[in-house]
Amino acid sequence: MSTRCDWFRDAKYGILFHYLYSKDATAQFDVERFVEQVVQTGAGYVMWTLGQNSGQFCAPNNTYERLAGYKIGARCSQRDLPAEIADALHKRGIRFMLYL
């Protein structure tokens, strides 16, 4: 019997990244280079952290910043790095999971 989670078992292994947000690092992050390195590992999925316990995140979230009392762009990237990575991985048949 097939389930919606069979892809996870079939992937055999993946890669987990604890990404610590930095405005400069996020702006300069080379998505294509990263994805090519993932492809070389043979991993079937990537799990990526949106943020750590700092309250800073590598994707835009104006609602979070507004409700938390921050200026827009103060705690969250204006570049949607996870979406860019997910799109590039998808083109290569690699799944993407976002972890918070």
Side-chain angles (χ1 to χ4, degrees):
M1 173 156 67
S2 180
T3 69
R4 290 177 35 184
C5 298
D6 285 353
W7 71 267
F8 193 66
R9 179 202 61 221
D10 296 343
K12 296 194 178 27
Y13 66 92
I15 300 173
L16 169 62
F17 286 89
H18 280 270
Y19 185 78
L20 297 174
Y21 171 71
S22 154
K23 187 176 274 193
D24 291 338
T26 300
Q28 298 171 15
F29 193 90
D30 186 338
V31 171
E32 289 304 317
R33 181 171 179 234
F34 171 76
V35 170
E36 284 306 317
Q37 291 172 334
V38 170
V39 168
Q40 290 174 13
T41 72
Y45 62 90
V46 169
M47 185 181 293
W48 184 274
T49 56
L50 181 61
Q52 299 292 317
N53 60 0
S54 66
Q56 296 181 298
F57 302 99
C58 63
N61 190 332
N62 295 350
T63 302
Y64 161 72
E65 289 180 307
R66 182 177 48 79
L67 293 175
Y70 296 110
K71 179 181 168 190
I72 301 301
R75 305 294 284 178
C76 298
S77 172
Q78 293 305 293
R79 178 183 185 187
D80 196 342
L81 185 56
E84 291 179 35
I85 293 170
D87 289 344
L89 289 169
H90 179 75
K91 290 175 185 174
R92 291 162 180 86
I94 300 170
R95 298 267 188 148
F96 182 73
M97 293 182 274
L98 194 57
Y99 170 74
L100 176 59

